[in-house]
């Protein structure tokens, strides 16, 4: 059984006074095809999930670290956090809590021995209605692994490095654990998939058909506004949802079916599962107590147009949804020109300020 508790990751007194360094990671957002919705324990999923790793919607995070000078607070976390070069105490407090848990649980006990200066920014526009926790938490987790590597050595094996980064990212934000891998990430235990785990995601690129490696995901921004109900609250409401048990079974069944579909490159079957999962996610919100609705009239109009266009043309273009009103338009690379025209003629009018973020399946995180 894998154990990331490691009380040995602590600086000796000579090192604790002169250690310093810098790390940087760029890490992407992701869009789940089978959704994670409902959790238990310490950020453990109620069902397995799988997502496309994106290419353009990324967070860039750099951390410089040095020995802490204030020796009166040996167990507290010391950091300054800047988002887009401006101090953000609200984000800083979240990271202090995240680092504090990693320190007290002896996962990264050295975190209280250092002072950190963290700079982060996103390539996608602020308030575009895109959740940034997957990209930002995975970037932060990758930086922590690089810091561990610089100070203590170890994590030299690439798969061990990314597995630990995925584990740490999960503790920050569940879906973030899938973002550390190129093409697709799989998170959650499943019979028959021996390496699968609830603790971290695993890579999928090797067995996913090449047609999906160049898939597009254009994000149609129906609303740039903040969500009225957070993902955290949404996960919690699954605890009282009368459809929870059949939903978790449906997700497991969809994962089994999708594994085969992704291997064989069956785009039609892929699209059916992607759309069913998106609508199920929002149906779960509507059947929570209290019920709530995050899709908007524009979301439904776009879905109608996509379905009509598909029937009329026979082209394989499908949608997915995150926990919000924005549409993720999914299609293979060979039809990109005709889809661009379709978007401009029929879909852009439903987007707030005409905003669309053109993205595609990506190569995963990078250090430069
Ligand atoms: O990682 P969280 O807690 O923000 O939850 C994400 C949930 C969905 O984005 C709706 C689905 C998923 O699997 O990414």
């Amino acid at each position: 059984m894998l154990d990331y508790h490691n009380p040995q990751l602590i600086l000796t007194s000579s090192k604790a006074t002169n250690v310093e360094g810098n790390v940087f990671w760029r890490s992407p957002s992701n869009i789940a095809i089978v959704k994670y919705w409902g959790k238990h324990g310490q950020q453990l999923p109620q069902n397995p999930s799988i997502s496309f790793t994106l290419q353009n919607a990324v967070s860039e995070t750099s951390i410089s670290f040095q020995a802490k000078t204030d020796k009166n607070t040996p167990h507290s976390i010391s950091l300054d956090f800047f988002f887009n070069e401006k101090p953000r105490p609200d984000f800083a407090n979240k990271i202090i809590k995240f680092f504090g848990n990693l320190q007290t649980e002896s996962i990264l006990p050295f975190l209280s021995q250092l002072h950190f200066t963290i700079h982060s920014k996103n390539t996608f526009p602020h308030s575009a209605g895109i959740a940034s926790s997957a990209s930002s938490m995975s970037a932060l987790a990758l930086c922590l692994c690089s810091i561990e590597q610089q100070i203590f050595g170890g994590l030299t094996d690439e798969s061990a490095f990314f597995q630990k980064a995925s584990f740490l990212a999960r503790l920050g934000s569940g879906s973030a654990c899938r973002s550390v891998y190129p093409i697709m990430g799989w998170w959650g235990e499943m019979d028959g998939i021996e390496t699968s785990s609830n603790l971290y995601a695993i890579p999928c690129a090797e067995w996913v058909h090449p047609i999906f490696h160049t898939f597009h995901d254009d994000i149609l921004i129906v609303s740039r506004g903040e969500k009225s109900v957070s993902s955290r609250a949404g996960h919690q409401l699954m605890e009282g949802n009368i459809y929870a048990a059949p939903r978790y079974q449906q997700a497991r069944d969809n994962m089994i079916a999708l594994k085969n579909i992704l291997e064989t490159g069956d785009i039609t079957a892929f699209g059916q599962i992607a759309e069913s999962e998106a609508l199920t996610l929002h149906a779960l919100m509507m059947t929570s107590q209290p019920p709530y609705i995050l899709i908007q009239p524009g979301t439904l109009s776009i879905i109608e147009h996509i379905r009509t266009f598909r029937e009329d043309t026979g082209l394989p273009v499908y949608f997915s949804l995150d926990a919000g009103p924005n549409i993720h338009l999914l299609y293979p690379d060979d039809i990109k020109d005709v889809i661009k025209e379709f978007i401009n003629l029929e879909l852009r009018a439903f987007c707030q300020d005409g905003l669309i973020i053109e993205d595609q399946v990506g190569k995963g995180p990078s250090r430069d």
Side-chain angles (χ1 to χ4, degrees):
M1 170 73 183
L2 177 103
D3 187 1
Y4 279 118
H5 295 93
N6 189 352
Q8 317 294 340
L9 291 178
I10 198 94
L11 294 158
T12 56
S13 49
S14 64
K15 238 185 173 178
T17 50
N18 56 26
V19 67
E20 61 177 349
N22 275 297
V23 294
F24 170 84
W25 277 96
R26 173 182 295 113
S27 191
S29 186
N30 66 67
I31 177 71
I33 304 305
V34 172
K35 311 286 182 185
Y36 147 62
W37 199 240
K39 60 181 172 181
H40 64 100
Q42 221 184 358
Q43 297 270 92
L44 297 168
Q46 292 284 11
N47 62 262
S49 59
I50 188 165
S51 54
F52 279 139
T53 301
L54 300 182
Q55 181 64 22
N56 301 331
V58 300
S59 294
E60 296 177 343
T61 300
S62 66
I63 305 185
S64 61
F65 58 94
Q66 65 204 87
K68 204 156 107 179
T69 45
D70 179 6
K71 303 284 182 235
N72 297 324
T73 55
H75 299 297
S76 67
I77 301 295
S78 167
L79 62 82
D80 297 310
F81 179 81
F82 300 86
F83 185 73
N84 290 337
E85 306 302 328
K86 294 199 184 81
R88 283 292 296 257
D90 49 343
F91 290 165
N93 287 336
K94 280 188 189 160
I95 298 171
I96 288 171
K97 211 169 144 203
F98 174 52
F99 281 19
N101 288 340
L102 297 176
Q103 188 258 329
T104 48
E105 294 199 16
S106 288
I107 296 169
L108 298 176
F110 65 89
L111 291 180
S112 59
Q113 298 179 289
L114 299 170
H115 176 76
F116 302 93
T117 307
I118 308 176
H119 286 267
S120 195
K121 61 181 178 203
N122 298 334
T123 52
F124 44 94
H126 191 54
S127 70
I130 297 192
S132 60
S133 64
S135 55
S136 58
M137 277 301 167
S138 55
L140 202 57
L142 288 156
C143 285
L144 289 177
C145 287
S146 286
I147 294 172
E148 178 187 328
Q149 200 178 41
Q150 273 187 25
I151 301 178
F152 299 96
L155 294 181
T156 45
D157 175 72
E158 202 171 287
S159 67
F161 182 95
F162 285 103
Q163 184 170 297
K164 182 156 187 181
S166 180
F167 171 85
L168 298 176
R170 183 199 108 235
L171 294 173
S173 167
S175 60
C177 73
R178 298 183 307 240
S179 271
V180 305
Y181 297 115
I183 315 297
M184 297 194 90
W186 174 303
W187 173 34
E189 271 168 28
M190 213 164 81
D191 291 346
I193 312 282
E194 266 166 39
T195 53
S196 64
S197 171
N198 284 340
L199 301 178
Y200 48 80
I202 54 172
C204 308
E206 267 188 18
W207 55 263
V208 169
H209 191 281
I211 192 90
F212 294 113
H213 290 220
T214 55
F215 237 62
H216 287 251
D217 175 7
D218 291 339
I219 310 167
L220 310 175
I221 308 298
V222 172
S223 168
R224 310 168 75 121
E226 287 261 317
K227 291 184 289 199
S228 55
V229 180
S230 69
S231 283
R232 176 198 290 260
H235 284 291
Q236 231 162 41
L237 286 171
M238 279 302 283
E239 282 167 32
N241 190 308
I242 60 162
Y243 300 107
R247 158 59 193 160
Y248 301 143
Q249 186 55 47
Q250 176 201 36
R252 276 188 283 274
D253 294 344
N254 279 343
M255 288 293 278
I256 293 169
L258 192 61
K259 169 99 186 353
N260 185 255
I261 288 163
L262 291 169
E263 274 166 343
T264 55
D266 182 345
I267 301 182
T268 310
F270 163 85
Q272 279 163 3
I273 290 187
E275 292 193 350
S276 162
E277 279 285 321
L279 295 176
T280 298
L281 172 67
H282 285 265
L284 291 166
M285 295 172 191
M286 294 179 207
T287 52
S288 291
Q289 282 309 328
Y292 63 105
I293 303 175
L294 295 186
I295 51 173
Q296 295 188 4
T299 316
L300 291 176
S301 299
I302 292 176
I303 290 173
E304 279 288 319
H305 278 261
I306 294 169
R307 292 191 153 174
T308 306
F309 178 82
R310 200 162 63 220
E311 272 165 34
D312 291 350
T313 63
L315 291 173
V317 54
Y318 300 94
F319 67 86
S320 186
L321 295 160
D322 237 329
N326 302 325
I327 294 274
H328 288 249
L329 197 66
L330 304 170
Y331 56 93
D333 188 59
D334 63 350
I335 59 168
K336 61 173 182 288
D337 294 336
V338 48
I339 297 301
K340 194 162 265 188
E341 218 179 296
F342 164 55
I343 290 174
N344 286 333
L345 280 175
E346 296 192 40
L347 307 184
R348 199 181 285 276
F350 298 106
C351 299
Q352 190 170 6
D353 307 323
L355 184 61
I356 292 169
I357 296 171
E358 292 180 12
D359 214 331
Q360 61 194 79
V361 171
K363 296 183 172 56
S366 66
R367 299 168 194 255
D368 43 34

